[in-house]
């Protein structure tokens, strides 16, 4: 294993947010795409030098985005690249084999156009998000993709038709990572609202919602619930989760395990048999993890030779008939794991000055590319069979293809909560919480029943005369569900833990707030309200009709709870870009280039153990 940080001004020394190797066999070369703050997407050729390290050659500059580009992902089956950025657009680029210049060269600098060795044209523009696009994931056949955005939504796209298939708007904050199951059955999203959600691509509905786990000693009888994921004070803008190539496991970064006052950063491993709770976690003591990428190569299981000459199998932690290798990136280091053991077999650190942003494996597993917000990229190179012996033939996958966009049109009305535009966020919140009520009825009675009632209450009932004191009770009853993050996480956790409903008041506000929300779970179902309501008055469900005052009430409680939550659960360092990643992205660029450019050579000499060297003089494409 060798590491090199190339002295190349990848994006004019501005932060590099994403990179991706082309995976399909049509590419005769190791083609790498990078993207960053300078609004450009650039193509590079990566070869192995005589010393076994990566040698990089510039191929093309793709200029069409108008703002920073946050993610680039190659189509698995064709020479098409998807890029998403702060301009809320997803561009699909296709290699022009005829080598003719693009028809609209107005976006291209003349100098850049002369340097281009390839010509890439935009063949489609996918517009549906209203804020920055943070992550993209393709299906295995290259016909569909999913994207996550700062507008709190994830969108399924039919690439061939250029149409939206479905909008998932359950998240209460930025969707910073998305991945599409290689078997086509699931889509998983991760957000800084501290919830991971898994959707069924066939039903286009949420299947799992994971946010909390229970802990505590059975002897003391005390059971505590703790959050599984970091809040929005994490230093990274991205939480790039992924499925293993065979779809058997889901690897999720940005995890945190609380043991008393100690918080351990970790990466969770979920089995596709059940996403309710992880089957394992991979601790990362120093910094939070932000990206996981799997090597596309399947390897034979490791064995050892006994004293008598016989071959013995080594322990197989994940019980797979082959070995898969994956890399986990934290803010400042990279861990290498395989599915045969829980401990990492490789570790690389101190190769960049700023936070890492993305990872990508070459299709033969010989390179792992790493991007950083310090404006540089590194390559970890592996010798042949250093990672293991590749399988002669990959196992077949039973892939499920989602319904096309045209088939979805006829079913649009029943699932309007999922397919509506992401713009009307206030109306989408009751819809998503009502859906969570169906998925976890145990906790729904105390958390989301009153929200679903508000959705069903027509505005025409506003004029109905009611005693004024009922309005005050209504405000108290609504104070807890109006907390921006707690309703989603409570109901999400209840699906993974049967003990959750008992510990409902787990938010920091619960210590100060009266417990009236428990005694007023208004619901249209009489039998349910009778069981859970301690108020003796019968017509309570109808008194909620004065809920048009909800916007004022919710606005009153949103700010204190979120700030208090950040203060209680994870104090952020003074320099952290708390809660406002989009605004804080650009200020990083001012200090970075000079800092990095002036000290890159000294780091190479001070960190010889990592193997960081320069292969060429700084070149600015």
């Amino acid at each position: 294993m060798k590491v090199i940080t190339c002295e190349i001004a990848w994006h004019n020394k501005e932060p590099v947010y994403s990179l991706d190797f082309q995976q399909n066999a049509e590419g005769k070369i190791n083609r790498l795409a990078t993207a960053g703050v300078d609004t450009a997407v650039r193509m590079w050729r990566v070869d192995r030098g005589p010393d076994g390290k990566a040698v990089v050659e510039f191929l093309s500059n793709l200029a069409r985005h108008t703002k920073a580009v946050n993610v680039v992902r190659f189509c698995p089956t064709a020479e098409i690249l998807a890029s998403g950025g702060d301009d809320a657009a997803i561009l699909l680029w296709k290699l022009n084999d005829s080598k003719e210049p693009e028809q609209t060269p107005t976006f291209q600098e003349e100098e850049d156009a002369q340097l281009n060795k390839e010509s890439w044209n935009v063949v489609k523009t996918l517009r549906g998000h209203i804020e920055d696009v943070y992550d993209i994931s393709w299906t295995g056949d290259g016909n569909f993709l999913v994207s996550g955005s700062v507008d709190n939504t994830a969108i399924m796209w039919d690439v061939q038709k250029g149409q939206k298939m479905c909008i998932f708007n359950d998240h209460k904050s930025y969707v910073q990572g998305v991945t599409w199951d290689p078997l086509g059955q699931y889509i998983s999203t991760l957000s800084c609202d501290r919830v991971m959600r898994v959707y069924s691509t066939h039903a286009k509905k949420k299947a799992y919602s994971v946010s909390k786990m229970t802990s505590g000693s059975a002897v003391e009888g005390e059971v505590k619930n703790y959050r599984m994921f970091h809040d929005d004070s994490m230093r990274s803008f991205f939480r790039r989760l992924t499925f293993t190539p065979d779809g058997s496991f889901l690897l999720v970064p940005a995890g945190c395990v609380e043991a008393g006052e100690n918080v351990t950063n970790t990466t969770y491993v979920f089995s596709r048999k059940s996403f309710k709770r992880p089957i394992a976690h991979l601790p990362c003591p120093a910094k939070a993890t932000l990206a996981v990428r799997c090597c596309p190569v399947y390897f034979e299981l490791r064995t050892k030779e006994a004293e008598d000459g016989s071959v013995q199998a080594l322990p197989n932690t994940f019980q797979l008939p082959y070995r898969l290798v994956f890399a986990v990136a934290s803010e400042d280091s990279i861990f290498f794991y395989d599915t045969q053991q829980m401990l990492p077999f490789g570790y690389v650190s101190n190769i960049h000055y700023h936070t890492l942003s993305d990872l990508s494996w070459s299709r033969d597993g010989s390179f792992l590319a790493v991007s950083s917000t310090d404006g540089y990229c590194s390559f970890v190179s592996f010798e042949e069979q250093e990672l293991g012996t590749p399988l002669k033939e990959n196992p077949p996958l039973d892939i499920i293809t989602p319904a096309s966009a045209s088939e979805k049109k006829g079913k649009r009305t029943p699932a309007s909560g999922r397919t509506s535009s992401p713009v009307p966020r206030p109306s989408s919140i009751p819809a998503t919480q009502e859906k969570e009520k169906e998925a976890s009825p145990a906790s729904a009675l105390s958390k989301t029943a009153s929200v679903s009632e508000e959705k069903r209450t027509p505005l025409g009932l506003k004029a109905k005369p009611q005693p004024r004191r009922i309005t005050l009770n209504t405000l108290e009853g609504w104070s807890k569900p109006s907390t921006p993050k707690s309703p989603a996480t409570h109901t999400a956790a209840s699906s993974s833990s049967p003990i959750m409903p008992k510990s409902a008041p787990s938010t920091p506000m619960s210590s100060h707030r009266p417990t009236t929300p428990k005694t007023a779970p208004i619901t249209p179902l009489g039998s349910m309200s009778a069981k859970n309501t301690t108020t003796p008055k019968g017509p309570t469900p109808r008194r909620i009709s004065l809920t048009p005052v909800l916007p004022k009430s919710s606005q009153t409680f949103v700010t204190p709870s979120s700030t208090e939550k950040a203060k209680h659960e994870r104090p952020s360092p003074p320099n952290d870009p708390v809660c406002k990643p989009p605004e804080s992205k650009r200020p990083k660029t001012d200090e970075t280039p000079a800092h990095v450019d002036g000290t890159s050579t000294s780091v190479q000499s001070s960190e010889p153990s990592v193997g960081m060297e320069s292969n060429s003089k700084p070149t600015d494409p």
Side-chain angles (χ1 to χ4, degrees):
M1 182 172 73
K2 299 180 180 179
V3 181
I4 183 171
T5 302
C6 302
E7 292 189 10
I8 296 176
W10 296 85
H11 289 269
N12 301 324
K13 300 182 182 179
E14 295 193 75
V16 182
Y17 283 149
S18 183
L19 45 66
D20 194 49
F21 270 111
Q22 187 175 8
Q23 300 295 331
N24 66 312
E26 295 178 15
K28 303 297 189 293
I29 59 175
N30 275 327
R31 187 181 281 113
L32 177 74
T34 61
V37 168
D38 66 346
T39 75
V41 176
R42 288 182 174 172
M43 292 290 177
W44 311 83
R45 174 175 178 164
V46 182
D47 295 306
R48 182 184 297 277
D51 57 353
K53 296 181 180 179
V55 178
V56 181
E57 177 188 358
F58 174 76
L59 291 180
S60 183
N61 189 74
L62 286 59
R64 180 61 66 89
H65 283 282
T66 57
K67 294 183 180 179
V69 186
N70 300 315
V71 58
V72 283
R73 292 292 181 262
F74 275 103
C75 173
T77 58
E79 290 189 328
I80 294 178
L81 176 78
S83 61
D86 286 1
D87 53 10
I90 300 172
L91 303 183
L92 300 182
W93 305 81
K94 184 175 176 60
L95 179 62
N96 186 359
D97 295 328
S98 63
K99 303 289 179 70
E100 294 180 1
E102 193 174 351
Q103 297 300 318
T104 56
T106 54
F107 294 90
Q108 196 80 290
E109 298 278 345
E110 290 186 7
E111 297 178 359
D112 291 337
Q114 293 176 358
L115 293 172
N116 289 347
K117 299 175 183 177
E118 293 181 340
S119 177
W120 289 76
N121 302 335
V122 175
V123 291
K124 275 192 178 71
T125 302
L126 306 180
R127 298 191 183 277
H129 287 294
I130 57 175
E131 295 288 349
D132 313 9
V133 177
Y134 266 10
D135 204 13
I136 291 172
S137 180
W138 289 84
T139 54
D141 59 7
N143 292 325
F144 307 93
L145 62 79
V146 60
S147 58
S149 169
V150 171
D151 62 18
N152 303 359
T153 67
I155 299 181
M156 285 174 60
W157 300 91
D158 185 328
V159 175
Q160 303 300 325
K161 301 180 179 179
Q163 298 176 357
K164 294 188 293 287
M165 297 174 60
C166 183
I167 299 177
F168 301 118
N169 48 21
D170 298 276
H171 283 292
K172 306 300 184 296
S173 191
Y174 310 157
V175 180
Q176 296 177 308
V178 294
T179 182
W180 201 308
D181 170 22
L183 303 184
Q185 188 175 357
Y186 298 111
I187 286 174
S188 183
T189 60
L190 187 59
S191 166
C192 58
D193 65 3
R194 313 182 78 176
V195 183
M196 181 195 80
R197 290 180 167 88
V198 180
Y199 298 91
S200 166
T201 58
H202 180 71
K204 298 182 175 58
K205 293 181 180 179
K206 184 178 61 185
Y208 298 92
S209 187
V210 181
S211 64
K212 289 186 178 181
M213 288 185 68
T214 58
S215 67
S217 60
V219 179
E220 299 176 359
E222 182 181 358
V223 178
K224 293 183 179 179
N225 297 287
Y226 64 86
R227 301 274 192 169
M228 292 174 58
F229 299 102
H230 280 290
D231 59 16
D232 51 11
S233 63
M234 224 177 92
R235 285 177 177 266
S236 173
F237 313 122
F238 311 110
R239 306 181 186 214
R240 306 190 195 272
L241 70 171
T242 187
F243 280 92
T244 53
D246 61 349
S248 56
F249 297 101
L250 174 62
L251 309 171
V252 186
C256 57
V257 176
E258 297 180 9
E261 295 183 355
N262 298 324
V263 177
T264 302
N265 302 303
T266 192
T267 301
Y268 292 109
V269 180
F270 292 84
S271 170
R272 78 175 294 112
K273 296 176 182 177
S274 175
F275 296 104
K276 289 184 178 180
R277 56 178 57 86
I279 61 169
H281 75 96
L282 311 171
C284 176
K287 300 289 182 67
T289 58
L290 53 92
V292 188
R293 294 295 288 272
C294 293
C295 179
V297 180
Y298 292 75
F299 297 97
E300 295 178 2
L301 292 173
R302 290 192 187 276
T303 56
K304 66 177 181 179
E305 188 173 334
E307 296 178 358
D308 57 358
S310 61
V311 177
Q312 295 180 350
L314 292 172
N316 189 356
T317 305
F318 288 80
Q319 299 299 314
L320 291 176
Y322 37 75
R323 232 175 104 252
L324 297 174
V325 173
F326 58 94
V328 177
S330 72
E331 294 177 12
D332 61 358
S333 55
I334 304 151
F335 296 83
F336 294 90
Y337 292 88
D338 65 18
T339 54
Q340 211 168 341
Q341 59 189 10
M342 292 298 294
L343 294 175
F345 67 82
Y347 174 67
V348 176
S349 66
N350 297 323
I351 55 175
H352 288 282
Y353 288 108
H354 278 212
T355 307
L356 305 183
S357 56
D358 203 0
L359 300 171
S360 182
W361 291 86
S362 62
R363 65 176 178 274
D364 59 357
S366 59
F367 294 111
L368 175 74
V370 185
S371 62
S372 169
T373 55
D374 66 4
Y376 290 87
C377 298
S378 299
F379 294 90
V380 183
S381 58
F382 300 91
E383 298 294 335
E384 188 175 354
Q385 296 197 344
E386 184 177 353
L387 294 175
T389 305
L391 289 182
K392 295 180 180 178
E393 187 176 349
N394 289 349
L397 300 180
D398 184 15
I399 300 176
I400 301 173
T401 303
S404 65
S406 59
E407 295 174 11
K408 180 62 184 167
K409 284 185 179 178
K411 304 177 183 178
R412 210 172 179 111
T413 306
S416 59
R418 303 290 163 200
T419 57
S420 59
S421 169
V423 179
R425 295 298 304 161
S427 63
S428 67
I429 294 177
T432 56
Q433 291 180 342
E434 185 179 1
K435 193 63 65 178
E436 291 177 272
K437 180 178 122 180
E438 297 172 5
S440 55
S443 65
L445 297 182
S446 61
K447 291 293 165 189
T448 60
S450 59
V451 182
S452 60
E453 176 66 17
E454 188 265 350
K455 182 184 175 185
R456 294 186 177 89
T457 303
L459 294 175
L461 295 179
K462 182 178 179 180
K464 186 176 178 180
Q466 292 289 342
R468 290 186 180 178
R469 62 184 181 85
I470 301 302
T471 305
L472 298 177
N473 291 340
T474 303
L475 283 169
E476 280 190 55
W478 274 87
S479 63
K480 232 181 195 348
S482 67
T483 307
K485 296 181 183 178
S486 58
T489 52
H490 278 298
T491 53
S494 64
S495 64
S496 62
S497 171
I499 313 174
M500 275 306 300
K502 294 183 181 178
S503 59
S506 61
T507 58
M509 290 179 59
S510 61
S511 58
H512 314 290
R513 196 144 321 276
T515 57
T516 49
K518 278 189 172 182
T519 61
I522 311 305
T523 175
L525 303 177
S527 59
M528 294 163 66
S529 62
K531 290 179 183 178
N532 296 274
T533 306
T534 57
T535 306
K537 299 180 181 180
T540 307
R542 295 176 184 169
R543 294 181 179 179
I544 204 69
S545 58
L546 288 182
T547 53
V549 299
L550 171 63
K552 295 181 181 178
S553 153
S554 63
Q555 194 68 23
T556 307
F557 293 102
V558 165
T559 305
S561 66
S562 61
T563 54
E564 192 171 349
K565 182 181 299 183
K567 180 174 66 177
H568 277 77
E569 296 183 1
R570 187 171 182 264
S572 55
N575 295 330
D576 269 352
V578 181
C579 303
K580 295 184 179 180
E583 288 80 357
S584 62
K585 271 201 283 197
R586 285 136 186 103
K588 287 186 177 182
T589 63
D590 297 334
E591 57 190 8
T592 300
H595 185 70
V596 174
D597 195 32
T599 55
S600 60
T601 49
S602 62
V603 165
Q604 293 169 5
S605 59
S606 63
E607 295 292 339
S609 60
V610 183
M612 187 171 111
E613 298 178 10
S614 61
N615 69 329
S616 62
K617 294 181 179 179
T619 57
D620 193 349

